[in-house]
Amino acid sequence: MATEEGVVIACHTKEEFYAKMGKAKETKKLVVINFTASWCGPSRSIAPVFVEFAKKYPHVVFLKVDIDELRDVAEEYEIEGVPTFHFVKGGEKIDIVVGANKDELQTKVEKHAGQPA
Amino acid sequence: MTSTVAATVGCGGLPFRPSSASPRGRPRGRWVVRAQAAGADGSDDKSLEVMRKFSEQYARRSNTYFCTDKTVTAVVIKGLADHRDTLGAPLCPCRHYDDKAAEVAQGFWNCPCVPMRERKECHCMLFLTPDNDFAGQDQVISLEEIKEATSKF
């Protein structure tokens, strides 16, 4: 939906998360999932950057998952440290960034995003 | 001008030698603020203050510095304090655990975690070595700073 472009979508239930993933798979969009924890400093500090990227790359889906809220999802993606960013396209995990590394994150978003539809 | 990196940071203790100075997993007791059983005092700030003091002491002892963005420091200290209250030990707040209670008992990720004790690696960015791009000049943070920074969230 147009209203969900350009913003970070915080997923608070498993169902919501898998619905967004399913839709992105259909539309073949790149998904970047930010795995975060509420009282982790680096997770907090990178959050505004993630918001900025969501605005800058509206043809990419930016999801946020709190690892204590969606434990099953965190386990499925084998999250250890946070923040961790998973890149998924066509239902496949294609890349990962571990840590609050803005430059690496941006490089990989640009590398995998493809052209705007 | 006088921005030289402090060679010694007045702690008077033995130099920090990650893997050889002290028996593994049991650093010198006087420098270590271990979490005691939570809830004895019951006040909201007790754990926050314990973890604040621990962080200052451990930064001095390990010759590491807080992040230039002290919000990072404040958030991590708050996370450690919350874990101390809920789990009885300051488990690292920047990791996912299948079983937090088991993790606490195991001890590897109780702050200061093993990677920090052995190699000065703190992925929470609480303790940064002077050569780290994000390291600031401070080894102190006040309770007010922590409360102010964390109240925004």
Side-chain angles (χ1 to χ4, degrees):
Chain A
M1 269 175 271
T3 51
E4 291 191 339
E5 283 186 356
V7 295
V8 174
I9 306 164
C11 298
H12 298 291
T13 64
K14 263 197 299 190
E15 292 72 25
E16 201 180 347
F17 174 77
Y18 290 118
K20 301 292 179 210
M21 292 302 288
K23 197 169 166 215
K25 188 179 175 182
E26 270 173 36
T27 54
K28 298 188 169 56
K29 283 184 176 179
L30 172 69
V31 187
V32 187
I33 314 161
N34 176 8
F35 288 92
T36 176
S38 50
W39 293 116
C40 168
S43 289
R44 293 278 187 192
S45 70
I46 199 79
V49 172
F50 203 61
V51 170
E52 182 195 310
F53 287 173
K55 274 189 211 151
K56 193 170 174 184
Y57 306 100
H59 56 301
V60 176
V61 179
F62 289 85
L63 302 183
K64 191 167 93 168
V65 169
D66 184 309
I67 55 167
D68 288 311
E69 204 170 39
L70 301 190
R71 297 184 58 80
D72 294 348
V73 176
E75 271 156 41
E76 183 193 325
Y77 281 80
E78 298 175 331
I79 301 303
E80 293 183 347
V82 288
T84 288
F85 302 86
H86 271 279
F87 293 72
V88 180
K89 204 170 190 179
E92 292 196 24
K93 295 174 197 169
I94 55 171
D95 216 336
I96 187 170
V97 171
V98 177
N101 189 330
K102 180 180 175 175
D103 294 341
E104 190 186 357
L105 189 60
Q106 181 157 20
T107 303
K108 290 191 172 176
V109 170
E110 288 178 357
K111 179 182 167 190
H112 298 300
Q115 296 304 310
Chain B
M1 299 258 302
T2 51
S3 61
T4 50
V5 175
T8 53
V9 182
C11 69
L14 290 169
F16 187 81
R17 281 280 170 268
S19 54
S20 60
S22 61
R24 193 182 152 100
R26 177 107 184 122
R28 286 160 204 286
R30 71 193 173 108
W31 291 111
V32 177
V33 178
R34 283 283 178 211
Q36 287 105 37
D41 169 297
S43 75
D44 282 345
D45 296 343
K46 169 92 188 295
S47 282
L48 206 55
E49 179 60 7
V50 168
M51 296 321 300
R52 183 191 73 78
K53 276 193 169 160
F54 153 77
S55 301
E56 290 187 346
Q57 286 176 354
Y58 195 79
R60 288 196 298 274
R61 184 225 162 172
S62 60
N63 189 29
T64 55
Y65 293 84
F66 295 150
C67 187
T68 44
D69 175 5
K70 294 273 275 294
T71 304
V72 170
T73 316
V75 167
V76 175
I77 292 174
K78 165 80 174 151
L80 292 170
D82 276 8
H83 275 166
R84 182 179 182 268
D85 280 339
T86 55
L87 303 165
L91 192 63
C92 174
C94 291
R95 290 192 68 79
H96 171 73
Y97 311 96
D98 289 346
D99 182 340
K100 287 190 179 186
E103 228 27 88
V104 163
Q106 208 270 339
F108 192 94
W109 292 111
N110 290 344
C111 188
C113 65
V114 172
M116 180 64 207
R117 284 180 295 193
E118 293 191 343
R119 300 185 299 278
K120 295 198 195 188
E121 287 172 10
C122 173
H123 67 281
C124 296
M125 299 171 72
L126 177 56
F127 303 116
L128 298 168
T129 52
D131 60 334
N132 188 301
D133 289 346
F134 296 98
Q137 306 276 316
D138 285 349
Q139 291 175 319
V140 292
I141 186 166
S142 70
L143 195 59
E144 288 66 36
E145 273 180 276
I146 297 173
K147 284 186 172 179
E148 210 218 313
T150 54
S151 67
K152 290 182 279 187
F153 300 117

